[in-house]
Amino acid sequence: GGGGGGGGGEGSPLDGLRAHPQFMQMVALIQQNPALLQPLLQEIGANNPAILELINAHQEEFMQILQQPVPGGAGAGQRQQVIQVSPEEREAIGRLEALGFPRERVLEAYFACDKNEEIAANYLFDHGNDEDEE
């Protein structure tokens, strides 16, 4: 089944977002871990309310973007991506790990929260112990 594309793809308001590397990075993160969707949207709302309004006004299309493969995205075959971090970022990641969260979760939260240690810590306390497997 699955009725056609709909919504005349010409000049969509979200096309501008697709061109944003940070936005596409966020899409890749959400594809890897759907639980990140809400915190990331809250983060966008705090930093850039206009973008959040755009997403809310075009939720269907936003959900379609989330379903599409991200060009050069994180999930492109290899699970291990090498991420360059500065010494300061490495220290922040270490402090978040010291709170008792697994490294993979810490990295996920840290980069999802745009390298904001405080927001990442809040996210981890809210979601860091959610188990993926039941």
Side-chain angles (χ1 to χ4, degrees):
E10 223 47 68
S12 150
L14 295 184
D15 283 348
L17 290 180
R18 281 195 181 93
H20 255 279
Q22 275 188 316
F23 178 75
M24 295 316 288
Q25 192 178 16
M26 180 189 91
V27 168
L29 281 166
I30 292 168
Q31 287 175 350
Q32 284 181 333
N33 183 354
L36 292 174
L37 178 60
Q38 275 316 110
L40 285 170
L41 286 177
Q42 289 170 352
E43 181 66 16
I44 289 171
N47 292 327
N48 202 331
I51 289 181
L52 187 61
E53 280 177 37
L54 246 181
I55 289 171
N56 285 332
H58 303 277
Q59 281 186 334
E60 213 170 292
E61 189 180 347
F62 178 66
M63 295 317 281
Q64 286 175 353
I65 293 173
L66 291 181
Q67 304 306 312
Q68 294 164 359
V70 176
Q78 82 288 12
R79 277 281 306 158
Q80 286 303 86
Q81 62 259 58
V82 178
I83 299 170
Q84 298 297 321
V85 294
S86 71
E88 294 82 21
E89 291 167 349
R90 188 171 297 128
E91 286 172 22
I93 290 166
R95 286 191 293 272
L96 290 168
E97 280 184 283
L99 298 173
F101 297 104
R103 182 171 186 80
E104 193 175 310
R105 287 251 190 235
V106 166
L107 292 172
E108 220 168 60
Y110 186 66
F111 288 103
C113 297
D114 211 21
K115 300 181 183 178
N116 183 317
E117 184 180 354
E118 194 175 320
I119 295 171
N122 289 338
Y123 174 80
L124 285 165
F125 283 119
D126 290 345
H127 305 280
N129 292 319
D130 299 354
E131 283 305 315
D132 292 325
E133 303 88 39
E134 305 253 330

